[in-house]
Amino acid sequence: MQELKKIVKNARKKIMNMKYHSKSSHIGSAFSVLDILVYSYFKGLNITEENLRDNNRDRLILSKGHASAAIYTTLALRGFLDIKKLDMYYCNDGELPGHIDMTTSEALDLSTGSLGHGLPVGAGMALAMKINKIDSRIVVIMGDGEINEGSVWEAAMFIIRENLKNMLIFIDCNGLQGYDRTEEILTYERNKEMWRALGFTILEIDGNNFEEIEKAYKCKNYKPVVVLAKTIKGKGVSFMEDKLEWHYKSPNLEELEKGLKELEENE
């Protein structure tokens, strides 16, 4: 776990630089989901350089595609993406767009950005694996604002009907979306009860804690699991944490230097 913490720290510093140079949005969203992604690719998923092209490997879909900087950086540090490409993230003549493009790495399983698509596609993958008797897992990560999309609930009903227990669904509950707090739109408790009413097993964790993320990965159940991962938007940089403006804002030079200094000093 200590090694994973070092990786996340390094990833946050790289994302800070990427967002500064590209003048792009969504650093808060990238920071909230980063711990889940690092644990997934470095420990949780059955995915290696050797099995990248193997249809039998585990799959991960980051449905909140605006957090692309988090997954690109994680894959680069894992060796699944040329780390030099991060320098031109979201820049003219670069190869990494602001929303996830699966052609940039064989480890990416879906291009995302239009919210609400990840779970339906993940359900289709999971059904195919079930039919073909492939003993692998489909992990889908959504935002707590994204679940207002109707396609999410259509997919959820399908997942329960087909009992796709080879799926592990994370909801990055950072409490903020678009222009308001999620509690003002769909409360955490209502969200939880909607999944439970459909028949999912519910697991509540601290999504910025590796030990708790590990519990989610080790959860074996007779029906599909939804993990409500409570996270902090902008996690790791105090002046960004739980601030709505960092859904859109990019750091200026002063904020970059301040953020990097804080990340370096924090354990």
Side-chain angles (χ1 to χ4, degrees), residues 45-229:
L45 296 170
N46 173 26
I47 179 170
T48 64
E49 289 184 30
E50 292 71 31
N51 73 2
L52 275 180
R53 298 183 181 181
D54 187 345
N55 286 333
N56 296 331
R57 70 166 172 83
D58 289 345
R59 306 273 167 180
L60 185 145
I61 295 171
L62 179 58
S63 192
K64 45 176 280 183
H66 53 284
S68 60
I71 198 166
Y72 290 145
T73 304
T74 301
L75 293 180
L77 294 175
R78 181 68 175 81
F80 295 152
L81 178 68
D82 183 354
I83 201 163
K84 293 179 182 178
K85 291 183 179 180
L86 298 181
D87 296 337
M88 292 293 288
Y89 166 77
Y90 215 159
C91 293
N92 291 339
D93 300 321
E95 296 180 38
L96 303 178
H99 287 84
I100 297 168
D101 180 353
M102 67 183 292
T103 67
T104 59
S105 171
E106 290 182 313
L108 286 168
D109 295 305
L110 186 68
S111 299
T112 59
S114 295
L115 297 177
H117 290 185
L119 193 63
V121 175
M125 291 178 175
L127 180 61
M129 286 186 168
K130 180 181 178 181
I131 291 170
N132 293 322
K133 296 181 169 55
I134 296 173
D135 186 23
S136 295
R137 172 179 262 171
I138 303 294
V139 176
V140 176
I141 306 172
M142 298 183 289
D144 54 354
E146 178 179 5
I147 59 173
N148 292 313
E149 296 285 351
S151 53
V152 169
W153 299 104
E154 292 174 13
M157 289 185 284
F158 176 81
I159 290 164
I160 287 297
R161 191 191 76 184
E162 298 296 332
N163 193 27
L164 299 178
K165 57 187 179 182
N166 54 342
M167 295 192 76
L168 180 62
I169 303 164
F170 285 91
I171 301 178
D172 177 15
C173 298
N174 64 32
L176 290 163
Q177 67 179 85
Y179 299 100
D180 210 338
R181 294 198 171 271
T182 54
E183 284 295 305
E184 298 299 319
I185 301 160
L186 176 64
T187 69
Y188 177 87
E189 289 300 320
R190 177 64 61 85
N191 173 22
K192 179 169 66 175
E193 290 310 312
M194 287 168 70
W195 291 103
R196 194 190 307 280
L198 287 175
F200 286 84
T201 293
I202 308 297
L203 187 62
E204 298 177 78
I205 68 166
D206 176 349
N208 297 129
N209 181 294
F210 288 126
E211 285 78 9
E212 298 213 0
I213 297 168
E214 183 167 72
K215 289 178 186 176
Y217 265 94
K218 289 184 175 180
C219 179
K220 302 293 183 182
N221 210 284
Y222 63 91
K223 57 185 180 179
V225 176
V226 168
V227 182
L228 300 178

